C-alpha cells in the first residue's frame, strides 16, 4: 500500500532565511511539492494561475471559508490568502510530501486541523546575525528594521509550539537537517503501520 505523504509546515522570524532553505529543499527533492495558496488579489506580471497562486474573487473565497475549505486563511491589506485543504490532502493521499511555508499564526491554525503535520521552526544562529541579515537586505528603513527585530524576538517564543527547530547557520547544513527530519518522520511507527501489519 502506498505511503501517505507528509505535510511539512515551516515557519520562522523574518530574516531567518526560511524561504532560501525551503527553496533549496525543493530543488533537491522531486517528491516534495510547494503548497499553492488561494488569493483574492490581482495577478502580478508573470504570475500564472495554478502555479504562483490560485486566483479567485472575494465572494468565492468567502464562500470557501463558510465551507471550511481552507487549512488556514488570513486577510492581508484587504486581500485574502488561504491554504486549500482539498489540494493539499489530494497530494498527501497520492504519496507526495507537501511543503507549507507560512507565518506562525497560520501554522498554529493548521496544527489544530491537521495534527499529523511536521512543524519546523527556522531560527538564525543568533539575534546579531538576524540583525546583520536584515541590514544586508538594504530594503528596510531604520524604523522598519527595529519593528522586524522586535517582532522576531516575540516570534521566537512560539518555537515551543513546533516539533523541531533548525538553526540556519548555512543553507546547505540547514537543508540537510530538514531532510534528516523528513527521513526520521517517515520511519515513525504510525506512518509505517500498513507496512508493519503486512509483515
Amino acid at each position: 500500500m502506498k505511503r501517505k505523504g507528509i505535510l511539512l509546515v515551516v515557519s520562522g522570524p523574518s530574516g531567518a532565511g526560511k524561504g532560501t532553505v525551503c527553496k533549496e529543499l525543493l530543488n533537491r527533492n522531486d517528491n516534495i511539492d510547494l503548497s499553492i495558496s488561494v488569493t483574492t488579489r490581482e495577478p502580478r506580471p508573470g504570475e500564472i494561475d495554478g502555479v504562483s497562486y490560485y486566483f479567485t474573487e472575494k465572494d468565492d473565497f468567502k464562500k470557501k471559508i463558510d465551507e471550511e475549505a481552507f487549512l488556514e486563511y488570513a486577510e492581508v491589506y484587504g486581500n485574502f490568502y488561504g491554504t486549500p485543504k482539498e489540494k493539499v490532502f489530494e497530494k498527501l493521499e497520492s504519496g507526495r510530501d507537501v511543503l507549507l511555508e507560512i507565518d506562525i499564526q497560520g501554522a498554529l491554525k493548521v496544527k489544530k486541523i491537521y495534527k499529523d503535520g511536521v512543524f519546523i521552526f527556522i531560527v538564525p544562529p543568533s539575534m546579531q546575525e538576524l540583525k546583520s541579515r536584515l541590514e544586508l537586505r538594504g530594503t528596510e528603513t531604520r524604523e522598519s528594521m527595529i519593528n522586524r527585530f522586535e517582532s522576531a524576538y516575540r516570534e521566537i517564543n512560539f518555537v515551543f509550539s513546533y516539533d523541531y527547530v533548525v538553526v540556519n547557520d548555512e543553507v546547505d547544513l540547514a537543508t540537510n537537517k530538514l531532510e534528516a527530519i523528513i527521513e526520521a518522520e517517515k520511519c515513525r511507527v504510525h506512518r509505517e503501520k500498513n507496512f508493519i501489519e503486512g509483515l
Side-chain angles (χ1 to χ4, degrees):
M1 191 172 178
K2 188 178 282 186
R3 179 194 282 120
K4 193 175 176 182
I6 295 174
L7 178 63
L8 307 159
V9 182
V10 178
S11 307
S14 178
K18 60 187 178 296
T20 307
V21 173
C22 286
K23 190 175 177 184
E24 179 62 19
L25 182 70
L26 291 166
N27 285 340
R28 289 191 197 179
N29 295 274
D30 293 334
N31 191 49
I32 303 175
D33 292 330
L34 183 66
S35 173
I36 300 167
S37 297
V38 179
T39 184
T40 59
R41 76 160 171 76
E42 289 296 312
R44 291 174 185 148
E47 288 184 332
I48 302 164
D49 186 44
V51 177
S52 312
Y53 287 93
Y54 296 109
F55 295 99
T56 191
E57 300 296 322
K58 279 189 182 177
D59 286 346
D60 289 336
F61 195 102
K62 287 175 180 176
K63 187 181 173 193
K64 284 187 169 70
I65 291 173
D66 293 338
E67 293 168 352
E68 298 183 349
F70 296 112
L71 275 172
E72 59 77 39
Y73 69 90
E75 187 176 3
V76 183
Y77 302 122
N79 285 306
F80 288 97
Y81 295 82
T83 302
K85 200 185 286 185
E86 188 180 353
K87 300 277 187 191
V88 170
F89 287 176
E90 273 175 11
K91 287 189 175 185
L92 294 174
E93 288 298 330
S94 75
R96 306 279 301 172
D97 297 331
V98 178
L99 174 64
L100 183 53
E101 184 196 333
I102 196 169
D103 67 26
I104 293 160
Q105 299 308 319
L108 296 179
K109 288 177 187 174
V110 173
K111 197 171 186 180
K112 285 181 182 175
I113 294 171
Y114 195 75
K115 297 186 189 304
D116 203 30
V118 179
F119 295 80
I120 305 165
F121 200 83
I122 307 285
V123 294
S126 68
M127 293 308 287
Q128 182 56 48
E129 175 63 20
L130 181 77
K131 187 168 180 263
S132 299
R133 288 177 186 179
L134 290 172
E135 285 172 344
L136 276 172
R137 283 183 179 178
T139 55
E140 311 286 337
T141 64
R142 179 169 168 73
E143 186 183 354
S144 167
M145 199 152 71
I146 289 167
N147 287 340
R148 280 191 185 271
F149 202 60
E150 287 175 350
S151 176
Y153 260 113
R154 288 192 302 273
E155 287 173 340
I156 282 172
N157 290 320
F158 284 96
V159 70
F160 299 105
S161 299
Y162 287 70
D163 302 313
Y164 299 92
V165 61
V166 170
V167 178
N168 182 19
D169 38 10
E170 289 180 33
V171 173
D172 276 350
L173 293 176
T175 310
N176 290 346
K177 289 173 191 172
L178 279 181
E179 289 179 325
I181 289 166
I182 294 164
E183 280 308 303
E185 283 291 330
K186 284 181 178 175
C187 295
R188 278 189 180 270
V189 171
H190 79 275
R191 296 191 201 279
E192 290 287 7
K193 193 178 174 191
N194 292 326
F195 167 74
I196 293 163
E197 287 174 350
L199 288 175

